[in-house]
Amino acid sequence: MAFVSTDNYIVSDELALAVNAAVTLEKPLLIKGEPGTGKTRLAEELAQSLDTELIQWHIKSTTKAQHGLYEYDAVSRLRDSQLGSDKVQDINNYIRPGKLWQAFTAAKRPVLLIDEIDKADIEFPNDLLHELDRMAFYVHETGEQVSATERPIVIITSNNEKELPDAFLRRCFFHYIRFPDADTLRAIVAVHFPHIQPQLLSTALEVFFELRELPGLKKKPSTSELLDWLKLLLAEDIPAEVLTDKQQKGGLMPMFGALLKNEQDVALVEKLAFLAKRQGR
């Protein structure tokens, strides 16, 4: 297997190497990077390139490792027993397979995405170690052993909200997605907007990178937000020269709501534009 950029998804050489290395080593690939840099999209494109199923496990603060294995619905079984249902005779009617179970028993080697693992409790990664190592687990209620017929390709994403345990990190192949440079962003934009005017794109990228480099900015705009902004600029047919007109709306760029996502950053840009205007006098 050799994963490379596709018509719909641009990957760096380093990221492609990381994916291929993790598959060769049969280790989970732990992906970190700023939100909006395509971590989740990576798993989607990988599954599509392999023509296989993508099994997505989106992690929340309340998610437990057991949820990925299976859940036993004892409440439903008790209710059915009180109603005299014949279903209670077979405990399998109350076992709900989790995402790991689905991945282990898939007919074709799937891609399993464990998305935003850092949202869960700190013990969550350690609780998965045994199952990810052995690719098997035991169902206590039925005495069944669920084992992977073929080891799935595991992609784990993290936004760095919490530190992950060392024991967990040792079992992963790690890659940090660096924020794309201008040339890579041009290639990404070309995938989504192949007919965009070069002057508009150049000016938009200049404004975008200037915004990201502002000191004190609370949330830097991401690649996905750049694409949203460009989509709006094209929809409104806004010319390139309007983007650099600092007299507009207190110094804010057109459609700034696609790039600035909180009032502190909006106020910061307005303040800097006001100071620049005063100094220009």
Side-chain angles (χ1 to χ4, degrees), residues 18-19 21-23 26-31 42-43 46 50 53-55 57 99-100 103-104 109-115 117 128 131-133 135 148 150-157 168 171-174:
V19 171
V23 172
E26 295 189 331
K27 287 180 176 288
L29 174 60
L30 175 61
I31 296 289
L42 169 66
L46 178 59
L50 296 175
E53 179 184 8
L54 172 64
I55 299 173
W57 186 12
K99 299 298 184 180
L100 286 180
F104 288 179
R109 187 185 194 186
V111 174
L112 170 64
L113 171 64
I114 304 177
D115 202 18
I117 194 172
L128 282 179
E131 287 73 21
L132 289 177
D133 273 348
M135 286 290 156
E150 190 170 6
R151 181 178 287 266
I153 299 170
V154 182
I155 307 291
I156 303 172
T157 71
F168 180 80
R171 288 164 169 83
C172 298
F173 190 92
F174 170 75

Side-chain angles (χ1 to χ4, degrees), residues 74-89 94:
V75 174
S76 293
R77 193 180 189 200
L78 175 61
R79 183 188 63 238
D80 288 345
S81 67
Q82 293 171 338
L83 296 174
S85 173
D86 292 337
K87 287 176 58 179
V88 298
Q89 304 304 321
Y94 306 95

